Amino acid sequence: MQEQLPLSPAEFVKIRDGFIAFLKQPAGTPIELIIPKEVLDAMALAARRGRRRQLVLDVMRGISIVAVAVGAALAVFREPMAIGVAVLLASGVTFVWAHNKSKIRFEPEIDELVTEPNVVLQRNLRALEDYKHLLANGDIICDERLPDGTVKPLSQKARAAFLADHGSLFVLSRDQSLWQCTPHRPIPMSALWVRLGGRVAPVFVTSRTLIETPDRELFDKRITWLLSHADKAGSKAKGFREAIQIIVALRRPEFEGKTFEQKKEKLRDEGTADSRMEKIHAGIYPPFNSFLRNLPMHEFP
């Protein structure tokens, strides 16, 4: 697996290449092999429509503000006062309506983009959401490279643009006119470079993906690698080590061909709690996932 991720934690790469590495894909993999062109086009079309709609709403709010002032003046200086009050109320309602409409997101959801069963595409889009959150939180370092060669770390306000409406386009598109469809301000407008620091998409390495590793030799190699890091952490990795023991138990040769419920029944008799087994089997056991986040996952077998 190492040859698929030829990045060291100290390397900076362009943001979209960083996303490809985040998915543990070979360097140079076209984005269209990860998210098909028709899906990228649908996201771009939604952004352009959202931008046009946002401009219309901005114009309506501007007109409403002027109309409010006019209505107030008519109510004070003209008779009958009811005309001015009516204009004031109508323009106020219009402003509130336009303001509320401007808060509605128009970036398509995953279930809107994946119209037919496609587990891989759904996984990649979920990973994109994880990637954006890590960027927005500053957990993945992101710099803006200005045309004159200046490097400027993204501010906290600018990083928030990744989670704004159509923020996915910062990662997926190099067309900066599409970046401007993001209503959040400020937005970065120069080339974006990221340093993953050894991170990979969480959906690729969970207790569930370990359990389902088809190659027994690769499974053993991964368990050995994880336990070596757990040993270095000592008592801090107690919950993680216990999760590994359950994962190994679920892969016993005697369990081959059995359902999870059958495996659970046997391990329950040996003293393992149902709730822990269920969380580990689902890939959502907190002690395991929390410890995993601290490991150099770029080295994961």
Side-chain angles (χ1 to χ4, degrees):
M1 207 72 173
Q2 178 67 20
E3 71 275 9
Q4 288 188 303
L5 191 64
L7 298 174
S8 75
E11 286 183 294
F12 275 88
V13 294
K14 289 183 178 179
I15 191 166
R16 196 163 71 178
D17 299 327
F19 177 53
I20 291 169
F22 187 68
L23 297 176
K24 289 186 79 71
Q25 298 297 306
T29 300
I31 193 70
E32 291 80 8
L33 291 183
I34 293 172
I35 300 178
K37 186 177 184 301
E38 58 269 21
V39 174
L40 296 172
D41 289 345
M43 297 172 78
L45 180 62
R48 291 190 179 99
R49 285 176 174 170
R51 178 62 172 165
R52 287 194 295 269
R53 190 174 185 280
Q54 192 69 37
L55 288 173
V56 170
L57 292 172
D58 288 344
V59 169
M60 290 182 67
R61 284 192 292 183
I63 293 172
S64 297
I65 291 172
V66 174
V68 165
V70 171
L74 289 174
V76 173
F77 299 111
R78 293 289 299 271
E79 292 291 343
M81 187 174 66
I83 295 175
V85 172
V87 172
L88 184 64
L89 288 174
S91 54
V93 168
T94 301
F95 177 87
V96 171
W97 176 85
H99 181 70
N100 289 338
K101 286 291 183 181
S102 69
K103 295 180 181 179
I104 298 175
R105 290 180 63 92
F106 287 91
E107 185 167 1
E109 300 290 341
I110 291 176
D111 58 355
E112 297 175 273
L113 293 169
V114 186
T115 54
E116 296 179 2
N118 190 329
V119 174
V120 174
L121 178 56
Q122 287 180 324
R123 180 194 65 192
N124 290 344
L125 290 172
R126 286 199 303 273
L128 175 63
E129 292 300 309
D130 290 336
Y131 185 66
K132 292 194 303 177
H133 276 88
L134 291 170
L135 287 164
N137 294 335
D139 292 334
I140 291 178
I141 295 173
C142 184
D143 286 349
E144 188 175 2
R145 305 286 177 93
L146 304 179
D148 63 2
T150 305
V151 176
K152 183 177 73 172
L154 283 188
S155 67
Q156 184 176 350
K157 288 184 177 179
R159 289 199 309 266
F162 290 112
L163 301 183
D165 207 15
H166 309 295
S168 297
L169 297 175
F170 287 108
V171 175
L172 300 178
S173 175
R174 291 187 175 135
D175 179 357
Q176 292 184 334
S177 67
L178 288 175
W179 293 10
Q180 296 182 25
C181 295
T182 303
H184 177 86
R185 291 296 182 272
I187 60 170
M189 282 307 298
S190 297
L192 298 175
W193 289 64
V194 297
R195 190 173 73 194
L196 293 181
R199 288 186 176 275
V200 296
V203 295
F204 284 89
V205 186
T206 66
S207 52
R208 179 64 178 266
T209 60
L210 269 178
I211 293 168
E212 295 178 347
T213 303
D215 187 322
R216 182 72 203 195
E217 184 179 344
L218 178 60
F219 173 78
D220 291 341
K221 188 183 295 185
R222 288 176 169 178
I223 292 297
T224 299
W225 187 86
L226 291 169
L227 285 175
S228 70
H229 285 280
D231 290 342
K232 293 174 186 176
S235 60
K236 294 180 181 178
K238 182 175 182 294
F240 180 80
R241 229 180 263 105
E242 291 172 349
I244 291 288
Q245 290 171 0
I246 294 173
I247 290 169
V248 171
L250 288 169
R251 289 283 301 238
R252 287 179 190 167
E254 67 193 78
F255 285 157
E256 188 173 350
K258 294 187 179 296
T259 66
F260 172 61
E261 290 301 322
Q262 290 171 324
K263 297 176 185 178
K264 188 168 68 171
E265 184 177 353
K266 173 66 175 175
L267 293 177
R268 183 193 304 129
D269 292 341
E270 296 176 9
T272 306
D274 279 10
S275 60
R276 183 179 292 185
M277 284 189 285
E278 288 163 0
K279 288 176 182 176
I280 289 170
H281 184 259
I284 56 172
Y285 186 55
F288 183 89
N289 295 343
S290 297
F291 186 76
L292 209 61
R293 284 197 289 270
N294 299 319
L295 301 184
M297 295 308 298
H298 65 291
E299 298 174 355
F300 185 69

